[in-house]
Amino acid sequence: MKIATFNINSINKRLTNLLYWLDEAQPDVVCLQELKARQSEFPLAAIEAAGYKAVWQGQPAWNGVAILARGSAPVVTRTALPGDAEDTQARYIEAAVQGVLIGTLYAPNGNPRPGPKFDYKLAWTRRLLDHAADLMATRLPVVLAGDFNIVPEPRDIYPSRSYDDNALVQPESRALYAEFLGQGWVDALRETHPEDEALYTFWDYKRNRWPRNAGLRLDHILLAPDPSARLAAAGVDRDVRGEEGASDHAPVWIVLD
C-alpha cells in the first residue's frame, strides 16, 4: 500500500497539478490539506474520474482536509479532532481504508508569535497528542499524516536566521512533536532517511526559496508499531514543487508491505 500526504494549497486552483501527480505516482491513499474550498466545492467528479473515492471536510478561504482512496471508499470514523467542541476549523479527518486507520491533519501555523494564534497551535497539537495516545492504545494499524506545521529538528530547515522567531521552529513546538515519538510513533521519512540533511517538503514562494533549495520539513507521516514494521520505503516527490502553478509543498509518501 502506497500512502501519501500532500498540502495542495487550494484544490480547485491546483486540480490539474493534483490529477497529473495522481496519474504519475499512483498512490493508493492520499491525505490532502489546505483544500481552501467549501464542502460543496470539492471537485469530486474529477477525483472519481481519476479512480479515487473521497471523504473530506471543506472550509472556504483556509483549512480543509480530505482522504482519497483508490479501489475502495474510505469509511469515515471522525470528522474533527476531539477535545474542543467550539473549534470549527476543518483541520482533521479520519477514515478506515483497506484495514488501515488513516488520520490526516492540517495543524495550525501559529504565527505571529507570541499571541493567540501560537497559543491555539500549542493547544490544538496537545489535543492531537491526546487523540494519538488513544489511537495507539487500540493497537490497530494507524497512520497519522499531514502538515504538522512543525520543523522537528534544526537539520529540517535550511541554514537561516529568518525563522528564528517563527512558530514552526520554537522549542515548545518541537517538544510537542517529540512527544509523538515518545508515544511510540515512527517518523517514516526520517526512519528511512536518517542521514539526509536537506529532507525538505515545503519551499515558500518568497525570496527565491525553491530555486535555491531553501526548504523546511513540515509534512510528516507517523506510523503506529504495526504499520511501521511493514515500512518498505518513503520519499518526497520534490519535483512536483517545481511545476507550473505548484503548491508550495511537495507530496510525501510511504510504501507498506
Side-chain angles (χ1 to χ4, degrees):
M1 178 184 284
K2 185 176 184 180
I3 303 171
T5 182
F6 190 5
N7 182 323
I8 192 63
N9 190 11
S10 182
I11 191 168
N12 288 303
K13 183 176 181 179
R14 296 186 169 85
L15 183 58
T16 299
N17 301 69
L18 174 61
L19 295 175
Y20 179 79
W21 171 74
L22 289 174
D23 184 59
E24 288 290 307
Q26 293 288 302
D28 299 296
V29 183
V30 182
C31 300
L32 295 176
Q33 304 88 43
E34 266 200 284
L35 303 181
K36 295 183 177 178
R38 291 180 172 84
Q39 191 73 3
S40 60
E41 295 172 336
F42 186 84
L44 182 60
I47 296 298
E48 289 187 336
Y52 291 84
K53 300 294 185 181
V55 294
W56 67 96
Q57 283 295 110
Q59 196 163 39
W62 307 104
N63 306 327
V65 285
I67 298 174
L68 317 183
R70 187 174 58 174
S72 62
V75 179
V76 175
T77 56
R78 184 174 290 280
T79 58
L81 193 63
D84 184 355
E86 302 300 315
D87 188 353
T88 60
Q89 296 194 31
R91 293 186 175 275
Y92 186 83
I93 192 169
E94 187 180 286
V97 182
Q98 299 179 27
V100 179
L101 189 62
I102 309 285
T104 188
L105 60 119
Y106 175 50
N109 176 280
N111 287 300
R113 166 201 161 272
K117 290 188 176 181
F118 188 62
D119 295 341
Y120 173 63
K121 174 188 184 70
L122 299 181
W124 192 96
T125 307
R126 172 58 61 190
R127 286 164 53 206
L128 180 63
L129 270 164
D130 291 343
H131 184 53
D134 291 340
L135 292 175
M136 183 69 75
T138 67
R139 299 184 180 275
L140 293 169
V142 184
V143 175
L144 289 176
D147 180 355
F148 283 68
N149 263 320
I150 296 174
V151 176
E153 304 175 80
R155 63 175 172 165
D156 292 318
I157 181 172
Y158 74 102
S160 173
R161 299 299 304 272
S162 62
Y163 279 87
D164 283 1
D165 294 325
N166 197 288
L168 307 176
V169 303
Q170 295 310 305
E172 301 97 317
S173 305
R174 286 176 167 166
L176 288 172
Y177 189 84
E179 285 194 42
F180 288 103
L181 307 185
Q183 287 181 357
W185 297 92
V186 172
D187 182 332
L189 198 56
R190 186 52 76 190
E191 180 77 5
T192 52
H193 301 273
E195 305 301 327
D196 284 10
E197 294 296 321
L199 195 61
Y200 305 144
T201 68
F202 166 85
W203 298 259
D204 198 297
Y205 294 123
K206 302 172 185 176
R207 299 179 184 173
N208 212 34
R209 286 191 172 108
W210 165 247
R212 59 192 181 94
N213 197 29
L216 294 75
R217 190 165 78 97
L218 299 178
D219 306 271
H220 312 302
I221 301 178
L222 300 184
L223 308 179
D226 174 77
S228 69
R230 297 187 279 129
L231 179 61
V236 181
D237 287 345
R238 70 187 312 277
D239 289 349
V240 173
R241 174 61 180 85
E243 295 172 357
E244 184 178 354
S247 169
D248 44 7
H249 293 251
V252 178
W253 54 267
I254 64 168
V255 174
L256 301 178
D257 285 338

